Protein backbone atom coordinates (compact mmCIF):
# COMPACT_ATOMS: atom_id res chain seq x y z
CA UNK A 1 0.00 0.00 0.00
CA UNK A 2 1.47 3.37 -1.05
CA UNK A 3 1.80 6.07 1.70
CA UNK A 4 2.88 9.73 1.92
CA UNK A 5 3.73 11.81 4.98
CA UNK A 6 3.16 15.53 5.84
CA UNK A 7 3.76 17.74 8.91
CA UNK A 8 0.66 19.31 10.52
CA UNK A 9 0.51 22.62 12.34
CA UNK A 10 0.94 21.01 15.77
CA UNK A 11 4.31 19.59 14.75
CA UNK A 12 3.22 15.99 14.93
CA UNK A 13 3.41 13.44 12.07
CA UNK A 14 0.24 12.41 10.20
CA UNK A 15 0.06 9.45 7.79
CA UNK A 16 -2.31 9.51 4.91
CA UNK A 17 -3.06 6.14 3.30
CA UNK A 18 -4.01 6.00 -0.30
CA UNK A 19 -6.33 3.00 -0.38
CA UNK A 20 -7.63 1.05 -3.31
CA UNK A 21 -11.11 2.42 -2.63
CA UNK A 22 -9.77 5.93 -3.18
CA UNK A 23 -8.16 4.87 -6.40
CA UNK A 24 -11.42 3.33 -7.57
CA UNK A 25 -13.19 6.71 -7.23
CA UNK A 26 -11.58 7.58 -10.48
CA UNK A 27 -12.72 5.61 -13.47
CA UNK A 28 -9.83 4.52 -15.57
CA UNK A 29 -10.32 3.32 -19.09
CA UNK A 30 -7.43 1.59 -20.72
CA UNK A 31 -7.44 1.77 -24.45
CA UNK A 32 -4.78 0.42 -26.74
CA UNK A 33 -5.32 1.61 -30.24
CA UNK A 34 -4.06 -0.36 -33.20
CA UNK A 35 -4.82 -0.68 -36.84
CA UNK A 36 -6.99 -3.71 -36.11
CA UNK A 37 -9.08 -2.09 -33.32
CA UNK A 38 -8.92 -1.30 -29.61
CA UNK A 39 -8.43 -3.34 -26.42
CA UNK A 40 -10.32 -2.16 -23.34
CA UNK A 41 -10.34 -3.46 -19.78
CA UNK A 42 -13.77 -4.92 -20.54
CA UNK A 43 -12.36 -6.83 -23.51
CA UNK A 44 -9.41 -8.05 -21.43
CA UNK A 45 -11.81 -9.48 -18.87
CA UNK A 46 -13.82 -11.21 -21.59
CA UNK A 47 -10.64 -12.65 -23.14
CA UNK A 48 -9.47 -13.93 -19.75
CA UNK A 49 -12.85 -15.55 -19.16
CA UNK A 50 -12.69 -17.18 -22.60
CA UNK A 51 -9.16 -18.51 -21.92
CA UNK A 52 -10.25 -19.88 -18.54
CA UNK A 53 -13.21 -21.60 -20.17
CA UNK A 54 -11.00 -23.21 -22.82
CA UNK A 55 -8.56 -24.40 -20.15
CA UNK A 56 -11.42 -25.92 -18.17
CA UNK A 57 -12.70 -27.71 -21.26
CA UNK A 58 -9.23 -29.06 -22.07
CA UNK A 59 -8.80 -30.28 -18.51
CA UNK A 60 -12.23 -31.92 -18.62
CA UNK A 61 -11.34 -33.61 -21.94
CA UNK A 62 -8.11 -35.04 -20.48
CA UNK A 63 -9.93 -36.34 -17.42
CA UNK A 64 -12.63 -37.93 -19.56
CA UNK A 65 -9.96 -39.71 -21.65
CA UNK A 66 -8.26 -41.03 -18.53
CA UNK A 67 -11.57 -42.22 -17.10
CA UNK A 68 -12.48 -43.81 -20.42
CA UNK A 69 -9.25 -45.79 -20.51
CA UNK A 70 -9.47 -47.09 -16.96
CA UNK A 71 -13.21 -47.09 -16.25
CA UNK A 72 -14.39 -49.15 -13.28
CA UNK A 73 -17.76 -49.87 -11.70
CA UNK A 74 -18.75 -49.36 -8.06
CA UNK A 75 -17.13 -52.67 -7.11
CA UNK A 76 -13.76 -51.76 -8.67
CA UNK A 77 -14.22 -54.11 -11.64
CA UNK A 78 -12.89 -52.93 -15.01
CA UNK A 79 -15.63 -52.00 -17.47
CA UNK A 80 -14.91 -52.89 -21.13
CA UNK A 81 -14.81 -49.95 -23.57
CA UNK A 82 -17.01 -50.40 -26.63
CA UNK A 83 -15.71 -49.82 -30.16
CA UNK A 84 -17.33 -50.18 -33.58
CA UNK A 85 -15.90 -53.01 -35.68
CA UNK A 86 -18.42 -53.25 -38.48
CA UNK A 87 -21.77 -52.17 -39.78
CA UNK A 88 -24.04 -52.26 -36.72
CA UNK A 89 -21.41 -54.41 -34.99
CA UNK A 90 -19.43 -53.61 -31.86
CA UNK A 91 -16.85 -55.25 -29.65
CA UNK A 92 -14.98 -54.22 -26.51
CA UNK A 93 -11.50 -53.87 -25.06
CA UNK A 94 -9.88 -53.48 -21.66
CA UNK A 95 -6.64 -51.55 -21.23
CA UNK A 96 -4.57 -53.31 -18.56
CA UNK A 97 -1.84 -51.08 -17.09
CA UNK A 98 -1.51 -52.21 -13.44
CA UNK A 99 -0.74 -55.51 -11.77
CA UNK A 100 -4.14 -55.57 -10.05
CA UNK A 101 -5.92 -55.16 -13.38
CA UNK A 102 -3.71 -57.83 -14.91
CA UNK A 103 -4.57 -60.37 -12.20
CA UNK A 104 -8.25 -59.59 -12.75
CA UNK A 105 -8.16 -60.09 -16.52
CA UNK A 106 -6.00 -63.23 -16.31
CA UNK A 107 -8.81 -64.90 -14.37
CA UNK A 108 -11.26 -63.87 -17.07
CA UNK A 109 -8.97 -65.01 -19.89
CA UNK A 110 -8.22 -68.38 -18.31
CA UNK A 111 -11.96 -68.95 -17.89
CA UNK A 112 -12.53 -68.20 -21.58
CA UNK A 113 -9.76 -70.64 -22.52
CA UNK A 114 -11.27 -73.35 -20.30
CA UNK A 115 -14.54 -72.78 -22.15
CA UNK A 116 -12.74 -73.49 -25.43
CA UNK A 117 -13.07 -69.96 -26.79
CA UNK A 118 -10.57 -69.25 -29.57
CA UNK A 119 -8.08 -66.49 -28.81
CA UNK A 120 -5.92 -64.22 -30.95
CA UNK A 121 -2.57 -62.68 -30.00
CA UNK A 122 -0.59 -59.70 -31.27
CA UNK A 123 2.40 -57.74 -29.98
CA UNK A 124 3.19 -54.07 -30.39
CA UNK A 125 6.53 -52.41 -29.75
CA UNK A 126 9.34 -50.30 -31.10
CA UNK A 127 11.37 -52.06 -33.81
CA UNK A 128 9.53 -55.24 -32.80
CA UNK A 129 12.21 -57.95 -32.79
CA UNK A 130 15.12 -59.04 -30.58
CA UNK A 131 16.69 -55.66 -31.46
CA UNK A 132 13.79 -53.58 -30.16
CA UNK A 133 11.15 -53.87 -27.46
CA UNK A 134 7.72 -55.32 -26.70
CA UNK A 135 5.53 -52.72 -25.02
CA UNK A 136 2.02 -54.11 -25.46
CA UNK A 137 0.74 -57.70 -25.70
CA UNK A 138 -2.83 -58.00 -26.92
CA UNK A 139 -4.91 -61.12 -26.34
CA UNK A 140 -8.57 -61.38 -27.16
CA UNK A 141 -11.63 -63.36 -28.10
CA UNK A 142 -14.27 -62.30 -30.61
CA UNK A 143 -16.04 -60.11 -28.09
CA UNK A 144 -13.29 -58.76 -25.81
CA UNK A 145 -9.65 -57.73 -26.23
CA UNK A 146 -7.17 -57.33 -23.37
CA UNK A 147 -4.45 -54.76 -24.08
CA UNK A 148 -1.70 -55.65 -21.60
CA UNK A 149 0.82 -52.85 -21.07
CA UNK A 150 4.17 -54.58 -20.56
CA UNK A 151 5.95 -51.23 -20.38
CA UNK A 152 3.95 -50.14 -17.32
CA UNK A 153 3.46 -53.46 -15.51
CA UNK A 154 6.81 -55.09 -16.25
CA UNK A 155 8.04 -58.63 -16.92
CA UNK A 156 6.15 -60.02 -13.91
CA UNK A 157 3.17 -60.57 -16.24
CA UNK A 158 4.93 -63.56 -17.79
CA UNK A 159 5.42 -65.39 -14.49
CA UNK A 160 1.93 -64.41 -13.36
CA UNK A 161 0.23 -66.45 -16.07
CA UNK A 162 1.01 -64.98 -19.47
CA UNK A 163 3.95 -67.28 -20.18
CA UNK A 164 1.89 -70.42 -19.64
CA UNK A 165 -0.69 -69.25 -22.19
CA UNK A 166 1.83 -68.16 -24.82
CA UNK A 167 3.99 -71.30 -24.55
CA UNK A 168 1.18 -73.89 -24.39
CA UNK A 169 0.84 -75.65 -27.76
CA UNK A 170 -2.59 -76.87 -26.70
CA UNK A 171 -3.89 -73.31 -26.50
CA UNK A 172 -4.25 -72.34 -30.13
CA UNK A 173 -3.74 -68.68 -30.97
CA UNK A 174 -4.64 -66.82 -34.13
CA UNK A 175 -1.83 -64.50 -35.21
CA UNK A 176 -0.78 -62.67 -38.36
CA UNK A 177 2.86 -62.91 -39.39
CA UNK A 178 4.08 -64.14 -36.01
CA UNK A 179 7.78 -64.13 -36.89
CA UNK A 180 8.99 -60.92 -35.23
CA UNK A 181 6.60 -61.37 -32.29
CA UNK A 182 8.13 -64.79 -31.66
CA UNK A 183 11.65 -63.44 -32.10
CA UNK A 184 11.15 -60.61 -29.59
CA UNK A 185 9.37 -62.78 -27.01
CA UNK A 186 12.13 -65.41 -27.06
CA UNK A 187 15.23 -63.24 -27.12
CA UNK A 188 14.01 -60.43 -24.85
CA UNK A 189 11.60 -62.17 -22.48
CA UNK A 190 12.66 -65.84 -22.76
CA UNK A 191 9.14 -66.85 -23.82
CA UNK A 192 8.90 -69.51 -26.54
CA UNK A 193 5.68 -68.83 -28.40
CA UNK A 194 3.78 -71.98 -29.35
CA UNK A 195 0.38 -73.13 -30.57
CA UNK A 196 0.21 -70.49 -33.32
CA UNK A 197 -2.31 -70.55 -36.16
CA UNK A 198 -0.97 -67.90 -38.50
CA UNK A 199 -3.72 -66.40 -40.66
CA UNK A 200 -1.13 -65.02 -43.07
CA UNK A 201 -0.30 -68.64 -43.95
CA UNK A 202 -3.97 -69.25 -44.81
CA UNK A 203 -3.95 -66.25 -47.12
CA UNK A 204 -0.70 -67.24 -48.82
CA UNK A 205 -1.96 -70.78 -49.31
CA UNK A 206 -5.00 -69.37 -51.07
CA UNK A 207 -2.72 -68.15 -53.88
CA UNK A 208 0.26 -70.50 -53.48
CA UNK A 209 0.30 -71.07 -57.24
CA UNK A 210 1.44 -67.47 -57.81
CA UNK A 211 5.17 -68.13 -57.51
CA UNK A 212 8.17 -66.16 -58.71
CA UNK A 213 11.49 -68.00 -58.56
CA UNK A 214 10.05 -70.38 -55.97
CA UNK A 215 8.75 -67.69 -53.60
CA UNK A 216 5.35 -66.17 -52.88
CA UNK A 217 4.88 -62.56 -51.86
CA UNK A 218 3.18 -62.08 -48.49
CA UNK A 219 0.57 -59.41 -47.84
CA UNK A 220 -0.08 -57.10 -44.89
CA UNK A 221 -3.06 -57.43 -42.56
CA UNK A 222 -4.48 -54.19 -43.95
CA UNK A 223 -4.24 -55.52 -47.51
CA UNK A 224 -5.97 -58.76 -46.51
CA UNK A 225 -8.77 -56.97 -44.65
CA UNK A 226 -9.35 -54.80 -47.72
CA UNK A 227 -9.52 -57.80 -50.04
CA UNK A 228 -11.40 -60.37 -47.98
CA UNK A 229 -13.34 -58.55 -45.24
CA UNK A 230 -14.02 -55.22 -46.97
CA UNK A 231 -15.15 -53.44 -43.83
CA UNK A 232 -14.57 -49.68 -43.78
CA UNK A 233 -15.05 -49.50 -40.01
CA UNK A 234 -12.05 -51.71 -39.26
CA UNK A 235 -9.93 -50.10 -41.95
CA UNK A 236 -10.67 -46.57 -40.75
CA UNK A 237 -9.60 -47.50 -37.22
CA UNK A 238 -6.34 -48.88 -38.60
CA UNK A 239 -5.76 -45.81 -40.77
CA UNK A 240 -6.21 -43.47 -37.78
CA UNK A 241 -3.65 -45.50 -35.83
CA UNK A 242 -1.24 -45.54 -38.75
CA UNK A 243 -1.56 -41.77 -39.03
CA UNK A 244 -0.37 -41.42 -35.43
CA UNK A 245 2.44 -43.93 -36.03
CA UNK A 246 3.70 -41.91 -38.98
CA UNK A 247 4.30 -38.95 -36.65
CA UNK A 248 6.48 -40.86 -34.16
CA UNK A 249 8.44 -44.09 -34.61
CA UNK A 250 8.46 -44.51 -30.81
CA UNK A 251 4.71 -44.10 -30.34
CA UNK A 252 4.30 -47.53 -28.70
CA UNK A 253 6.63 -46.35 -25.94
CA UNK A 254 4.73 -43.13 -25.30
CA UNK A 255 2.42 -42.96 -22.29
CA UNK A 256 -0.42 -42.37 -21.93
CA UNK A 257 -1.31 -44.18 -25.13
CA UNK A 258 -3.61 -42.23 -27.43
CA UNK A 259 -7.13 -43.60 -27.76
CA UNK A 260 -6.56 -44.13 -31.50
CA UNK A 261 -3.64 -46.42 -30.71
CA UNK A 262 -5.73 -48.48 -28.26
CA UNK A 263 -8.39 -48.89 -30.93
CA UNK A 264 -5.73 -49.76 -33.52
CA UNK A 265 -4.36 -52.51 -31.27
CA UNK A 266 -7.86 -53.85 -30.61
CA UNK A 267 -8.79 -53.89 -34.29
CA UNK A 268 -5.68 -55.92 -35.14
CA UNK A 269 -7.03 -58.66 -32.87
CA UNK A 270 -10.68 -58.41 -33.88
CA UNK A 271 -9.80 -58.25 -37.57
CA UNK A 272 -8.03 -61.60 -37.29
CA UNK A 273 -11.28 -63.36 -36.43
CA UNK A 274 -13.04 -61.82 -39.42
CA UNK A 275 -10.20 -62.79 -41.73
CA UNK A 276 -10.08 -66.29 -40.26
CA UNK A 277 -13.81 -66.74 -40.97
CA UNK A 278 -13.21 -65.89 -44.62
CA UNK A 279 -10.18 -68.17 -45.12
CA UNK A 280 -10.57 -71.04 -42.64
CA UNK A 281 -11.71 -73.61 -45.23
CA UNK A 282 -8.75 -72.99 -47.54
CA UNK A 283 -6.36 -75.27 -45.64
CA UNK A 284 -6.56 -78.38 -43.47
CA UNK A 285 -6.19 -77.62 -39.76
CA UNK A 286 -3.30 -80.01 -39.08
CA UNK A 287 -1.36 -78.84 -42.14
CA UNK A 288 -2.01 -75.21 -41.21
CA UNK A 289 -0.84 -75.63 -37.62
CA UNK A 290 2.35 -77.40 -38.74
CA UNK A 291 3.12 -74.67 -41.30
CA UNK A 292 2.46 -71.99 -38.68
CA UNK A 293 4.89 -73.68 -36.29
CA UNK A 294 7.63 -73.63 -38.93
CA UNK A 295 6.81 -70.01 -39.71
CA UNK A 296 6.99 -69.09 -36.02
CA UNK A 297 10.42 -70.69 -35.72
CA UNK A 298 11.86 -69.41 -39.00
CA UNK A 299 13.17 -66.09 -37.66
CA UNK A 300 13.81 -66.66 -33.96
CA UNK A 301 15.95 -69.74 -34.59
CA UNK A 302 18.58 -68.14 -36.81
CA UNK A 303 21.47 -65.81 -36.07
CA UNK A 304 20.74 -62.18 -36.92
CA UNK A 305 22.62 -58.88 -36.62
CA UNK A 306 19.63 -56.68 -37.42
CA UNK A 307 15.95 -56.86 -38.21
CA UNK A 308 15.97 -58.28 -41.71
CA UNK A 309 12.46 -59.40 -42.59
CA UNK A 310 11.39 -59.65 -46.20
CA UNK A 311 8.12 -59.55 -48.07
CA UNK A 312 8.28 -63.13 -49.30
CA UNK A 313 7.32 -66.45 -47.75
CA UNK A 314 10.44 -68.52 -46.95
CA UNK A 315 10.79 -71.86 -48.65
CA UNK A 316 9.77 -74.92 -46.68
CA UNK A 317 6.97 -73.30 -44.67
CA UNK A 318 4.04 -74.73 -46.65
CA UNK A 319 4.86 -78.28 -47.72
Amino acid sequence: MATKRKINTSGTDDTEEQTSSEVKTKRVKVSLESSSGSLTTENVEKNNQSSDKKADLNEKHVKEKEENVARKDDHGTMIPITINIGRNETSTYKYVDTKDKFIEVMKELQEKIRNKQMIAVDCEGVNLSRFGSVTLINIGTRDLVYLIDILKIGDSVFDDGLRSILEDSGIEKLMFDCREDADALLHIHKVKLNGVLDVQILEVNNRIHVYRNGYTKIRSLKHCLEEYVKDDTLLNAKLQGRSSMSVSSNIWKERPLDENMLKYASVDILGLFKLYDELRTRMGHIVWKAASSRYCDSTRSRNRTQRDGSGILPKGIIL
Side-chain angles (χ1 to χ4, degrees), residues 78 94-96 100-111 146 148:
M78 293 175 63
K94 289 183 177 182
Y95 174 53
V96 186
D100 287 344
K101 291 179 186 177
F102 176 74
I103 292 171
E104 177 186 326
V105 302
M106 280 304 296
K107 292 176 182 177
E108 296 178 13
L109 185 57
Q110 288 165 348
E111 180 65 22
Y146 303 104
I148 303 170

Side-chain angles (χ1 to χ4, degrees), residues 207-251:
R207 52 184 178 81
I208 198 71
H209 61 283
V210 186
Y211 268 85
R212 175 177 292 182
N213 299 325
Y215 292 97
T216 303
K217 186 177 181 180
I218 56 178
R219 293 171 174 170
S220 68
L221 178 58
K222 176 180 174 292
H223 186 140
C224 293
L225 289 173
E226 287 174 337
E227 182 165 343
Y228 298 101
V229 179
K230 300 174 183 178
D231 190 322
D232 291 341
T233 311
L234 285 174
L235 292 172
N236 286 338
K238 282 191 68 66
L239 287 174
Q240 288 176 3
R242 282 187 174 275
S243 177
S244 298
M245 291 166 67
S246 67
V247 175
S248 172
S249 59
N250 292 318
I251 195 164

Side-chain angles (χ1 to χ4, degrees), residues 57-107:
L57 288 173
N58 288 336
E59 184 178 354
K60 181 180 178 182
H61 180 64
V62 170
K63 287 181 178 178
E64 285 176 347
K65 284 184 69 176
E66 290 174 349
E67 290 170 358
N68 192 45
V69 167
R71 197 181 302 159
K72 290 195 173 189
D73 64 14
D74 294 337
H75 303 288
T77 302
M78 293 175 63
I79 300 175
I81 298 172
T82 301
I83 56 173
N84 294 321
I85 61 168
R87 300 174 185 88
N88 301 317
E89 185 180 0
T90 62
S91 190
T92 54
Y93 72 85
K94 289 183 177 182
Y95 174 53
V96 186
D97 62 345
T98 68
K99 190 162 186 174
D100 287 344
K101 291 179 186 177
F102 176 74
I103 292 171
E104 177 186 326
V105 302
M106 280 304 296
K107 292 176 182 177

Side-chain angles (χ1 to χ4, degrees), residues 109 112-114 116-121 139-141 164-175 193-199 272-273 276 280 284-290 292:
L109 185 57
K112 291 176 182 292
I113 291 171
R114 282 194 293 270
K116 305 299 182 183
Q117 291 191 44
M118 178 173 278
I119 65 171
V121 175
I139 304 181
T141 59
S164 61
I165 292 175
L166 295 174
E167 291 188 340
D168 192 337
S169 62
I171 302 175
E172 295 180 339
K173 313 154 188 76
L174 293 180
M175 296 189 73
L193 185 63
N194 213 333
V196 173
L197 297 172
D198 200 304
V199 181
L272 277 178
F273 289 102
Y276 166 71
R280 60 190 298 178
H285 188 85
I286 295 176
V287 175
W288 178 30
K289 190 171 183 177
S292 296

Side-chain angles (χ1 to χ4, degrees), residues 288-299:
W288 178 30
K289 190 171 183 177
S292 296
S293 179
R294 290 188 288 270
Y295 202 37
C296 188
D297 203 44
S298 63
T299 296

Side-chain angles (χ1 to χ4, degrees), residues 262-280:
L262 296 176
K263 288 182 179 179
Y264 176 94
S266 301
V267 162
D268 272 3
I269 291 290
L270 298 167
L272 277 178
F273 289 102
K274 288 179 172 285
L275 194 57
Y276 166 71
D277 289 341
E278 294 295 323
L279 300 173
R280 60 190 298 178

